Amino acid sequence: MIWHRDSNRREMPWKGEKDPYRIWLSEIILQQTRVEQGWGYYERFLKKFPDVRKLARASDQAVLKCWEGLGYYTRCRNLIHTARHLAFDRQGVFPNTYEEILQLKGVGPYTAAAIASFAFDLPHAVVDGNVFRVLARYHGIRTPIDKPEGKKQFTALAQRSLDLSQPGNYNQALMDFGATVCKPQAPACTMCPLRSTCVAYRDKTIETLPVKSPAKSKRIRWFYYLLPTWNGKIPVRQRTGRDVWTGLWEPPLLESAKPLSFKMLRQKMDQVFPAHWPATQKGFEWLTHKQVLSHQTIHGCFVECRLGRRPDWSTDFQWVNHRQLSRLPFPKMILDHWKHSPSNR
DNA sequence: TATGCGTGGTA
DNA sequence: TTACCAAGCAT
C-alpha cells in the first residue's frame, strides 16, 4: 500500500472515479483487454454515451459500431442489455450491493467486486489475472488458476488478504503491482518490496507460477467472402448464432475447413449464391488475409467482381452503398480488407 | 464444467 | 513465426 501511494500508481481515465456507470463501463471494456487498448474506447463511449440513459436509448448498431475492433463482442451485447435494464427497469439507479451487481448480465465475480469496491467502498476482493499471479507467486501456490478449485482457493485467499479499511484502494494497488512489478514475463523482482517474504522468489520458481493448463491447438478455417458490386452496392448481413463475430456484419460467406480451388469455390457459389457470376477467374479480384484469434486461425479470401443484375438471395441481405456500410460494425479482417483493397475507390 | 469468445503487444 | 497473455464471462 505504501508502494502504491509512493508514485507507483498508473494514471488512467477511470481511476478514482465514483460514478458506478463509468466504473461499470470501464470494467466491461477492460475484461481480457489491455489498458492501453481499452483507453480510447472508454473515452469515445463516454463522449457518445455520457450516462446510462443515453446508452440505453442508442440503437444496437450505434453501440456495436463504437465497440468495433475491440473484440469479444458478447461483452457489447451484454452492455446494451444491462444499460436498458438499468435505465428502464431501475430508473437509472445502479445496484449498490455485491450480490445485486453480480446479477447484471456481463458482470461476473471480478467485475462485481471491482464495482462494489471502487464505487461503494464495499469489502470485496477482486481476483483478476494480476491477483492470481501475485498471490500464486507470493505464497508459492501451484493449484492451476483456470480450474474451479484454483478459482475457489485464490478467491478465498484474496478475500482474507483484503484491507477492509480501504478495499477499493487495496484492489487498485494489487492490480497495479501485478501489472508493473510482478509481471507475467520478466518480473522486476529486484525492485520488489515483497521479495524478502516471497515464496516463489526464495524457491526460484517465479517463472513457473501461476500454473495454467496448456492451451489447446487452434482450429483452422477458410472464409470465402463474396464481394459482388451491383449498382454501386454490395450485399451484407448480420452474423447470428453462437459463432465468432456474432452481431457483426459480413458479405456472403462460404466456409471451408480447407483451402478451395477456384473451380470448387465456383461450384459452391453457383449452389449457394446463384448469380450471373463472371465465367472465368479473370473476372474476379482475389485477395487473402489471415487473422489469428485466441482460439482459431481464419484465412479470409475476398473475391470481388461486378454484377450486371442483382441476384435474388435471402432477404437477410441488405444491398448497401459506402455510406451505409460505414455505419455498420464489421470484423477487423473485413475492415482491413476494405482499407487495403485497391478496388475500394 | 470445459469450451469458446477478438484483438494487439511482446519475447 | 509462434506462443503467451491481457482489469473474464456465458453457456
Side-chain angles (χ1 to χ4, degrees), chain A residues 121-142:
Chain A
D121 296 309
L122 292 170
H124 294 272
V126 296
V127 186
D128 73 333
N130 293 303
V131 176
F132 276 121
R133 190 169 58 252
V134 172
L135 293 181
R137 288 173 174 170
Y138 186 72
H139 296 284
I141 300 170
R142 308 201 62 83

Side-chain angles (χ1 to χ4, degrees), chain A residues 121-125 158-168 170:
Chain A
D121 296 309
L122 292 170
H124 294 272
Q159 194 59 37
R160 283 203 303 278
S161 314
L162 181 65
D163 181 344
L164 296 176
S165 71
Q166 41 173 342
Y170 173 88

Side-chain angles (χ1 to χ4, degrees), chain A residues 185-214:
Chain A
Q185 281 117 12
C189 293
T190 55
M191 315 276 289
C192 180
L194 300 176
R195 71 178 180 284
S196 62
T197 46
C198 175
V199 172
Y201 182 75
R202 182 195 67 198
D203 298 347
K204 304 194 192 308
T205 54
I206 289 280
E207 305 292 342
T208 73
L209 290 170
V211 175
K212 248 183 178 177
S213 31

Side-chain angles (χ1 to χ4, degrees), chain A residues 180-335:
Chain A
T180 58
V181 178
C182 199
K183 298 181 286 186
Q185 281 117 12
C189 293
T190 55
M191 315 276 289
C192 180
L194 300 176
R195 71 178 180 284
S196 62
T197 46
C198 175
V199 172
Y201 182 75
R202 182 195 67 198
D203 298 347
K204 304 194 192 308
T205 54
I206 289 280
E207 305 292 342
T208 73
L209 290 170
V211 175
K212 248 183 178 177
S213 31
K216 292 186 55 179
S217 63
K218 292 190 200 313
R219 174 160 72 130
I220 297 174
R221 306 168 79 177
W222 291 78
F223 281 12
Y224 291 88
Y225 286 118
L226 310 181
L227 298 167
T229 53
W230 167 79
N231 200 16
K233 299 177 177 180
I234 70 156
V236 290
R237 67 177 165 190
Q238 198 168 20
R239 281 180 73 86
T240 57
R242 277 184 297 219
D243 202 352
V244 73
W245 298 327
T246 299
L248 303 194
W249 292 70
E250 67 184 7
L253 167 65
L254 294 169
E255 183 177 350
S256 166
K258 294 180 176 172
L260 297 175
S261 65
F262 176 76
K263 198 175 164 185
M264 290 293 296
L265 175 64
R266 185 53 206 272
Q267 245 178 50
K268 280 197 160 198
M269 287 165 63
D270 286 332
Q271 285 167 17
V272 185
F273 299 111
H276 290 86
W277 298 111
T280 66
Q281 189 166 355
K282 284 184 195 146
F284 296 93
E285 280 286 332
W286 181 300
L287 284 166
T288 70
H289 301 248
K290 185 171 117 173
Q291 172 142 25
V292 179
L293 314 186
S294 52
H295 47 288
Q296 55 186 310
T297 300
I298 297 179
H299 297 268
C301 303
F302 294 81
V303 182
E304 305 185 350
C305 71
R306 287 177 176 279
L307 287 185
R309 280 173 55 181
R310 174 175 162 163
D312 186 27
W313 297 332
S314 149
T315 52
D316 296 346
F317 287 110
Q318 293 189 27
W319 290 75
V320 297
N321 59 30
H322 275 107
R323 215 189 60 202
Q324 297 168 306
L325 203 63
S326 69
R327 297 207 178 107
L328 300 174
F330 288 92
K332 177 193 180 296
M333 189 168 62
I334 297 178
L335 293 171

